[in-house]
Amino acid sequence: MKNISNKFLKQGYLIFDIKLIKELNFIKKKIYKISNEYFNKKNIKIISIPRFFDELHKYIDVEDLNEFRLYIYNNLNRSKNFREIYYKLAENYLSEICGNELCMQNKINLSIQLPKDDSSLLPIHTDVWSGNSPFEVVFWMPLVNCYKTKSMFIMTPEMNNFYFNNIKKFNSAEKIFTHSKKNLKWLNIKYGQGLIFTQNILHGNVVNLEKSTRWSFNCRFKSVFSPYGNKKIGEFFMPIKLKPATIFGINYEEPKIKK
């Protein structure tokens, strides 16, 4: 596990093989079932797994994509055990990187990017600039093979420090991206793999110029006892794993002495 920590510190991210393939496939089948329900209402018959995910763009237009995405997002996040299964897929790695008492984002985000779709872009950014805590990490997981422009990019920690130290010169996301794009790291992540990265480092995506659709989840995790940004525990985050002593501590109340 020491190698995991060293790799994460050096790169700012970690790509790992998911061991719980049965649980991962369960999520994918559930999404397919929900998708089938959505398209049945529109009298559209879809092809079977796994081609459906790569070929979603054959069944839906960009203007209807967000409605479809939210339909799946809401159904999944209402599922009783979805959060717990998602966490379990990366539990060992999150424990090593963040600690063993964790809180997790309330709802897991779903991103779908059709080929040549410019409506789902996240220009180069760091989430801390938007009020997130620098102690958070993101667990990002694709439902299809992601590569080149179908994936996401991230800077090295060294490059990130350069742009942070020269922020007056590169005072917009567009300037930073233009100057750095030849040296950005494009992540190659297959279905069955996960990615954990620090959101402190500049990252983002571009228009998907590949011939197939991208599907990916992302969810933030942090140590329960690390500092919070604008997104607080009990609002944006909920505990996912607590030790018994912490549970007793949270529930402790001083005895009420009558005067």
Side-chain angles (χ1 to χ4, degrees), residues 62-76:
V62 171
E63 52 266 29
D64 298 319
L65 181 59
N66 196 48
E67 177 192 77
F68 171 69
R69 184 188 65 82
L70 287 174
Y71 184 82
I72 297 173
Y73 168 87
N74 289 326
N75 272 276
L76 281 176

Side-chain angles (χ1 to χ4, degrees), residues 12-35:
Y13 70 89
L14 177 76
I15 296 173
F16 62 93
D17 293 330
I18 292 171
K19 306 298 183 186
L20 302 179
I21 294 299
K22 182 179 178 182
E23 288 78 0
L24 175 58
N25 289 337
F26 169 80
I27 290 175
K28 193 165 187 176
K29 288 175 183 175
K30 188 172 183 66
I31 294 171
Y32 178 78
K33 182 180 178 183
I34 296 168
S35 300

Side-chain angles (χ1 to χ4, degrees), residues 192-208:
Q193 293 183 313
L195 164 71
I196 299 173
F197 67 93
T198 171
Q199 58 186 13
N200 303 358
I201 292 179
L202 290 158
H203 59 281
N205 69 351
V206 296
V207 174
N208 176 10

Side-chain angles (χ1 to χ4, degrees), residues 94-184:
L94 289 167
S95 178
E96 180 64 22
I97 292 168
C98 296
N100 56 15
E101 293 192 273
L102 299 176
C103 54
M104 176 181 181
Q105 187 174 325
N106 277 334
K107 294 185 177 181
I108 299 163
N109 294 322
L110 171 64
S111 174
I112 304 174
Q113 194 178 15
L114 307 181
K116 299 181 181 179
D117 171 18
D118 62 1
S119 68
S120 307
L121 298 185
L122 278 174
I124 194 166
H125 69 288
T126 167
D127 299 16
V128 181
W129 291 349
S130 302
N132 289 77
S133 165
F135 293 85
E136 298 170 20
V137 299
V138 178
F139 169 30
W140 189 95
M141 186 185 75
L143 287 173
V144 291
N145 294 337
C146 290
Y147 49 88
K148 297 180 181 178
T149 58
K150 190 181 172 183
S151 185
M152 60 168 279
F153 63 79
I154 191 168
M155 281 192 179
T156 64
E158 292 78 15
M159 280 181 65
N160 196 72
N161 289 339
F162 170 79
Y163 287 105
F164 271 47
N165 291 332
N166 292 276
I167 200 68
K168 287 185 178 179
K169 179 180 179 182
F170 303 101
N171 57 3
S172 70
E174 185 179 354
K175 284 183 180 179
I176 293 173
F177 181 72
T178 301
H179 189 266
S180 66
K181 62 182 177 181
K182 290 182 180 179
N183 297 308
L184 293 171

